[in-house]
Amino acid sequence: MKRANLKLTNIRLSICLAAAAGLCLFSHPVLYAGWKSGGDYQIVDDIISSGGSEESTGGSYTNQGNFVSFSSGWTLSSPDGTLVGGFLPNVNYAPIVDSLVSPLDGEDITDTTPTLEWTYSDFDENTQRGYAAEVSAVASFSSIITSIQVEDSSVNTWTTGELVSGNTYYWRAKVKDAIWNEWGNWSSARTFYVEPLEPPGTITTLSALTNNANDGRIDLEWTSVGGNSYQVRYSTKSLSDFAGNTTQWWNNAAAYTQNWVPDGIGTQDNESVILGVKKTYYLSIRAYNGFLGDIGNVAGPVLSGDKVPDDPVGLSLSLEDSYSKIRLNWTANSEPDISRYIIKRSSTGVNGTFVFISSVTHPLTTYLDSQVEYERTYTYRLWVIDNTGNISAGYDEDTIEVRVDDEKLYADIDIIEIVKNSSSKMTFGWPQVTIDSNAESKKSKKSGRAVTMPKGYIIERAGDLTKGWERVSGLIYSTETLKFTVPVKDKVYYYRVITVSPSGKKSPGCLAIDTSEERNHIYCSRDMNAWVEIPDSFIDELYAYGNQIIKLDLKKYEDDAEDFLLCYDVKAMGGRTKIEDFIFKKTRLGPKVQISYQHLSEKGSISNIQAAGDLKLAMFWFNGIEWIKLGGVNDTSKGRTYTRARRLGKYGIKFARLADKFTLNTVYPRIFTPDLPSEEEPIVNDTKVSVNSVHFFFENPNFAEVTIKIFDITGAEVKRNLRREGENSMVWDGRDDDGNVVRGGIYIYQIESDGEVINGTIVVAK
């Protein structure tokens, strides 16, 4: 390898200039020189003298990109004249902090967490690779209050930790560059003063609302009063639990962790908290800026949101017990907080009215509905409720048809007759029941097939129609004398005859007789919650009606009765045919129609029957157009409401305001045309009954005497002593006292009762 003598001039001046600039903080510049030989650069190291020459064998250096242009004014000589030169790359000028920009030196500030800012420069034009900063309460920085050192960042700002207001602070910074990863010196220190803070204002506008996210969320809203953060407390106890003492409430409430940043003073802040699901909470917020604001208003009560249960699935229906009951089964919900299942039923299709029938406690997933009727289609819907009362958004639904089972449906006895009667005992009998042995549907009943006798009969007894029955006889075979003797005591008992078919099936037992002085014949609904009591003294109106025996049929009624607790349709049936406009003639007030609500009270469907404010349970009757309030008698001790009525039809009970004296409720129709029934209609007690009449419905809680008189437009009396149709109704058939139909025109009615006189007009149209 060639050796070279290199002569450099003006080196000392360049070195002195660099030193004078203050750039050489931790090393001196190293000048290289060399020449190109065979594609490699030959290097002469560490030339530090001016005007001298030095020999060096150097070494290979192939990265030409690391060489910089040689400074002008420098002269070098070499054997071949192919010289290059410059500063080696390992020469580094340290980075410096030019100035501390913010806060200004000696500036007064209010922020207790100020953001510090500086500027950076590097003679080598290398980028910043890291920074460090520190804050002290003394100029010597012998104790550091807060500091930071970041190794990989070109950021030139830093937000300090919390500083105590009312103090002067010193701060400084240093940086390092991206080439040699070496720190420069600390900058000169600067000062700033944090002014003393005033506590933030008091939040008095806090409001809290339930959030529909259903996850325990509560939405809060308030007007910002400043500060840089908040403290939030919540409790299930109200301010009144601490006698209105906000400090005691705050100290006993739980802290809610959050990192909310206040908006500007006077702006609306909106945030949410997530607490326990479906609970009632009270909340309060205080602003903070180093000082804590006063306690403001306590918002609440507010109910936290909750996730509603999933919709139920798997509902299926099946018939049991000779088609007299419907079994519901479904799949249990898997959520851990399920409480119960709600079952509703419609007998008028999926678009009909669904009525609550039961609540089943989770995890049970079955229910047996025994309150069903033959020849009807039922649709059931199932909802889920969790422990906090949330109900599923949707429901599961299924429909089933109750097929006719003629053997059971038509096997009940038609009548009960009193054979012997005394003050100590009563003997009653009944006619034989015949059954179509091949009955499978309605059509088979009309087919004229052979009939067979039942296996026999049993007698059951009850002290209360709604409390269940007990068997008091053995099997009375069909071949025996069909009668039974029972004792008569002070306590009234009810007895019914149950038909037992050859296959062992039992009839519903909807006809009974009691041991009261009236010896009432009682027609019951299948659920035993409604019945009609007909004294033996006029039971022959049913047993000797023309050429047939009439039975009363009571069925639960749900159409057009959404506001009612219970409704029943009472029909007079001659076989399978309904007797229209049937009316009892041998009684002034009619039989007693009763509806029991005791089972609803026991199940919690009615909360405190006897204390419903100014509303009481009242009996209503449906006239085909509207429900008319009759009032009736509410026997809360037995859980039932009743009235007396000569006319059958739809009766229901619901809460209503009852009169405390005689009150006229309805007169309908105001315009009517007197008429006679057609010749085909049966004659009751040798008297044709007028179909078109005007009815007066009233309440008479004091059982005062009621007189209704009819006058024509001239004031002449036409009719007095109108016919009763029950305890709460009277009727005028458009005839005068002589039984003649009056002429068309306007007529005046006058009602006198309980010291009241009520007048009005009606029109007879012809």
Side-chain angles (χ1 to χ4, degrees), residues 99-157:
S99 65
L100 303 181
V101 178
S102 179
L104 298 175
D105 192 24
E107 182 180 358
D108 293 346
I109 63 174
T110 59
D111 191 353
T112 56
T113 57
T115 297
L116 310 181
E117 182 181 356
W118 58 88
T119 60
Y120 161 89
S121 66
D122 189 318
F123 183 78
D124 300 327
E125 298 183 356
N126 295 323
T127 58
Q128 176 181 312
R129 185 173 182 175
Y131 68 88
E134 55 189 17
V135 178
S136 174
V138 293
S140 64
F141 289 89
S142 57
S143 62
I144 304 300
I145 295 175
T146 180
S147 64
I148 192 171
Q149 180 170 313
V150 179
E151 295 295 330
D152 292 294
S153 175
S154 60
V155 174
N156 66 332
T157 60

Side-chain angles (χ1 to χ4, degrees), residues 57-69:
T57 57
S60 297
Y61 196 88
T62 59
N63 189 355
Q64 188 177 5
N66 282 310
F67 291 89
V68 296
S69 299

Side-chain angles (χ1 to χ4, degrees), residues 312 340-345 354 380-385 391-396:
R340 61 192 186 278
Y341 302 92
I342 297 299
I343 301 172
K344 292 186 178 182
R345 183 187 71 191
F354 281 81
Y380 292 84
R381 287 179 178 173
L382 181 74
W383 285 264
V384 186
I385 295 181
I391 189 168
S392 58
Y395 52 81
D396 200 5

